[in-house]
Structures are given as C-alpha cells and as structure tokens.
C-alpha cells in the first residue's frame, strides 16, 4: 500500500487499502477505503485556517455557513458568468445564473416569494399580494393592481372603489399629460372596442370625460359608437349626460366647439340664445325659436327693439344706428297707450351730414299717439319720438342696409 496515510482513534488500528489514499476518522470501527487520490474524513474536521479546494466540492448532507457572504469566482480577474444549480435527476435542473452578456440575473423557472424587491420596485408588497408597485418615497409611483384592475401612475390614492382606472399626475402642466404614440407608421390612435361578449347589434364603445373625481356624481361628455340595436339611426354620437348612483340621466348642459377662449358654435338644449348657438330643424319647425339679429350676406340686418315711455318729454330716442356702418333703415312701428293703438312705417337715410325721414302707412284708432324726427348726433343716426301720452309703448321691427 504505497503512499497511504491513516489517522485514527479507537481500540484497534484500522485497515487502510488503496493507492494514494488518506483516511482520517474518529471513533471505532473500520473505515471504508477511499478511491485513488481521495481523502476520507470519518467524523468532524476542523480547519482553523483557510481551506482551498481546487476541484469540485461535494457535501453529502446539509451545508452550514456561519459567514454572511458566499462569493462565486472569488479569485477571478475578469468578468464572467456564474450559476447556482439544483440537480433534479431526470428533469431539467433549476438554475439561477448571472450573465455578463446583458448584466442580468436569469432564472430558468419562475420565482415565488411573499415580496420581491428590485431597486425602487416591489412585487407583492406586504399586505398587497397582487400588486406591482414602486416603493414609497422613490420619486415615482407606478401601481399595477390585479385585485382592482387598476394601473396608476404618479397617483398616491385610489378615488374609486371599483373599476379599472389609469391615473397620473399632471401638476398643472399640460406637458405632463399622458401621451400615446406609435413608433411606426404615419398615424397614432387609440381604439375603444365594444365588449366581445356583447350581442351583435347591441355593442357599444364609449369614451367619456367626467367633470368630477367621483363618476357616480359627475357630468360627462362622451364619444359613442353604438350598435344598430341601441344606436338606431344615429350610431355615432357626441353625448352629454349625468351618472348618479349608477343611473344615466340628461345633463341639460350645452356642448360648445371652442378654439382656446373663442366659441364658434354651441348646441344648447334650451334652444339658441347666443349668436354662436346652432339651430336645429326641429327647433325651427317648432315655431319657438328666437333670434337677436338676422344677418343676410353682411349687407342687410334684421332686428327689433322696444321703448316704454313714462313722460311726454320731447325727442326721446326710440332707436339709433352707426352712420359709418349703415346707410338707411326701414321701421315698422306699433304703438299703444291704454286702449289706443297707432301703427306706421318709416324710412330713414343719411348722407353723412343730414338725416332724412318719410312716414307712410300711418294709421291710428282715434288720435295720433306720437310725433317723430331724425337727426345725426355723435356719429349715430337717431330716430326720436314725442309721445302724446306719458305711458306709451313702442314696438319696432327694423331693417338696416350697410353703407
């Protein structure tokens, strides 16, 4: 037995066999000889200095390390991959490996953990098992919540008790608004598609903008694409309404087309009242529409006025118009005082210096209720009246023609 060393304790010497074999053991009995070049330790082994293993290290039982650091490739002088592997017999081994090609940890199987932290991101934080979120105080807030179907960006609180929501913080800066941009092609867009479970013909895709944080008590403006069943003859709509306690209702509010602060057109459910209000066919044919002025090709203007006097003072102004803008006016005047009535038509014109008038179709029931005259004052043409009775009502229809 050349090159053999045996160290032992007990009542009898062991038998050591094999070539280039070292056998160390404690206690009684005969050790199992090691294979060529192996060292077998029977019992405990204490190394007070450093132990260097140049080949593979096989531990037949649990491995206990009292230190707080395990280093792979500890004497390497260049970068390189490293792997921790679990032997699984005939099945694929499980590995956790560091790869220098992308400087990432790689796992060939999934990871299950109560919580998983990576820099400022936490997966399943304590108390929220179905959440991916950034850590508190990380300077950003991203939260994916599988329980509430919510994606929140820079939003610290959830205002809605249920339903999916995408939130972010604008901080009074329009540049911080959410953006959607395609990285290819010539256009970008967002598609809102009706539910796949909807009955054909009753599908609906909607985009709604609410004026309140609480959609259950808010007014909304919506863009809708409705199926033939619920959309009828108008499947494409811009709609306003309210949503209160889960019930839809009319908002009663106008919808305006605005360029910054300039309103170009308004749909007013109460009917047109401003110069930019749109007038529908139903409103026109209903006979209840009101115009403050009718403009015909910027050359002729139709409107009306009214005056109620309280004295018989002379030269009270019934109407006026800008001399630089209009050349002439035609008036149809209806006058009443008590039970007396008086009607007439008046033509007025001017030459820039002097105003002229003519009265025709002058009719009254009893005595005349007024006299009138015209003049130019302060750049305006004035139609003035002197009533016969103190309390007299003048109702006027006027047609103006521009200079």
């Amino acid at each position: 037995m050349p090159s053999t060393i045996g160290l032992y304790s007990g009542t009898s010497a062991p038998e050591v066999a094999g070539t280039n074999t070292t056998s160390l053991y404690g206690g009684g009995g005969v050790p199992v000889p090691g294979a060529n070049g192996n060292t077998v330790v029977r019992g405990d082994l204490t190394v007070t200095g450093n132990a260097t293993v140049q080949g593979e290290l096989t531990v037949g039982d649990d491995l206990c390390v009292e230190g707080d650091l395990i280093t792979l490739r500890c004497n390497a002088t260049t970068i390189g991959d490293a792997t921790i592997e679990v032997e699984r017999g005939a099945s694929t081994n499980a590995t956790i490996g560091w790869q220098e090609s992308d400087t990432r940890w790689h796992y060939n199987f999934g990871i299950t953990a109560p919580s998983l932290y990576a820099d400022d991101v936490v997966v399943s934080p304590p108390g929220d098992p179905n959440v991916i979120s950034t850590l508190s105080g990380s300077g950003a807030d991203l939260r994916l919540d599988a329980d509430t179907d919510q994606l929140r960006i820079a939003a610290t609180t959830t205002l809605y008790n249920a339903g999916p929501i995408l939130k972010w913080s604008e901080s009074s800066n329009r540049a911080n608004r959410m953006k959607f941009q395609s990285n290819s092609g010539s256009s970008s867009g967002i598609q809102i598609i009706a539910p796949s479970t909807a009955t054909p013909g009753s599908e609906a895709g909607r985009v709604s903008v609410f004026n309140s944080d609480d959609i259950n008590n808010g007014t909304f403006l919506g863009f809708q694409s409705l199926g033939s069943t619920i959309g009828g003859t108008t499947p494409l709509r811009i709609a306003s309404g309210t949503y209160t306690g889960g019930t839809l209702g009319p908002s009663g509010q106008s919808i305006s087309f605005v360029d910054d602060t300039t309103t170009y057109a308004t749909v007013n459910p109460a009917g047109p009242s401003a110069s930019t209000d749109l007038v529908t066919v139903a409103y026109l044919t209903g006979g209840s529409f009101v115009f403050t002025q009718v403009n015909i090709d910027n050359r002729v203007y139709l409107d009306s006025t009214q005056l109620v006097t309280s004295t018989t003072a002379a030269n009270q102004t019934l109407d006026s118009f800008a001399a630089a803008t209009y050349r002439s006016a035609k008036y149809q005047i209806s006058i009443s005082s008590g039970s007396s009535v008086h009607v007439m038509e008046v033509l007025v014109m001017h030459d820039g210096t002097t105003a002229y008038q003519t009265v025709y179709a002058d009719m009254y029931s009893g005595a005349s209720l007024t006299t009138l005259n015209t003049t130019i004052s302060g750049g305006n043409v004035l139609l003035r009246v002197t009533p016969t009775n103190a309390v007299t009502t003048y109702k006027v229809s006027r047609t103006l023609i521009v200079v």
Side-chain angles (χ1 to χ4, degrees), residues 293-301 325-326 400-403:
Q293 187 179 70
V294 177
N295 179 345
I296 303 176
D297 292 333
N298 294 321
R299 290 189 290 270
V300 178
Y301 294 83
T325 305
Y326 304 102
L400 295 167
I401 300 178
V402 299
V403 174

Side-chain angles (χ1 to χ4, degrees), residues 23-43:
S23 179
L24 301 93
Y25 70 98
V30 178
V32 177
N36 290 346
N38 291 341
T39 297
V40 178
V41 179
R42 297 289 185 172

Side-chain angles (χ1 to χ4, degrees), residues 128-321:
D128 289 317
N130 297 319
V131 167
I132 300 175
S133 178
T134 53
L135 295 175
S136 176
S138 62
D141 183 12
L142 170 65
R143 183 180 177 92
L144 304 175
D145 194 332
D147 289 334
T148 60
D149 294 328
Q150 293 183 351
L151 165 62
R152 298 191 292 117
I153 301 174
T156 57
T157 59
T158 301
L159 299 178
Y160 308 146
N161 293 329
I165 177 175
L166 170 63
K167 297 183 67 179
W168 66 95
S169 178
E170 185 171 321
S171 301
S172 300
N173 186 347
R174 292 173 182 245
N176 293 332
R177 289 182 175 175
M178 183 67 69
K179 300 173 182 64
F180 298 88
Q181 183 180 36
S182 172
N183 61 3
S184 63
S186 59
S187 64
S188 296
I190 301 174
Q191 288 186 330
I192 306 297
I193 304 174
S196 59
T197 57
T199 302
S202 64
E203 313 95 331
R206 293 181 170 93
V207 177
S208 298
V209 180
F210 282 82
N211 69 344
S212 171
D213 286 337
D214 183 2
I215 63 172
N216 283 316
N217 294 283
T219 301
F220 68 87
L221 175 67
F223 299 87
Q224 304 174 350
S225 176
L226 309 177
S228 58
T229 301
I230 57 178
T233 58
T234 57
L236 302 177
R237 301 178 181 176
I238 299 176
S240 67
T242 59
Y243 190 73
T244 305
T247 301
L248 290 171
S251 69
Q253 298 185 12
S254 301
I255 300 176
S256 297
F257 299 88
V258 180
D259 181 8
D260 192 19
T261 59
T262 302
T263 300
Y264 289 100
T266 299
V267 179
N268 189 341
S273 60
S275 60
T276 57
D277 284 356
L278 299 177
V279 180
T280 64
V281 171
Y283 193 79
L284 288 172
T285 57
S288 60
F289 50 91
V290 178
F291 299 101
T292 57
Q293 187 179 70
V294 177
N295 179 345
I296 303 176
D297 292 333
N298 294 321
R299 290 189 290 270
V300 178
Y301 294 83
L302 308 178
D303 57 15
S304 66
T305 188
Q306 177 175 299
L307 171 67
V308 178
T309 64
S310 59
T311 70
T312 58
N315 297 327
Q316 300 181 52
T317 299
L318 175 61
D319 185 53
S320 66
F321 58 85

Side-chain angles (χ1 to χ4, degrees), residues 8 28 46 74 79 86 91 98 100 102 105 140 181-182 210 217 238 246 256 274 284 302 318 322 329 344 401:
Y8 63 93
T46 301
C74 63
I79 63 174
V86 178
S91 299
W98 173 260
E100 291 290 349
D102 58 2
W105 285 100
Q181 183 180 36
S182 172
F210 282 82
N217 294 283
I238 299 176
S256 297
L284 288 172
L302 308 178
L318 175 61
M344 66 178 68
I401 300 178

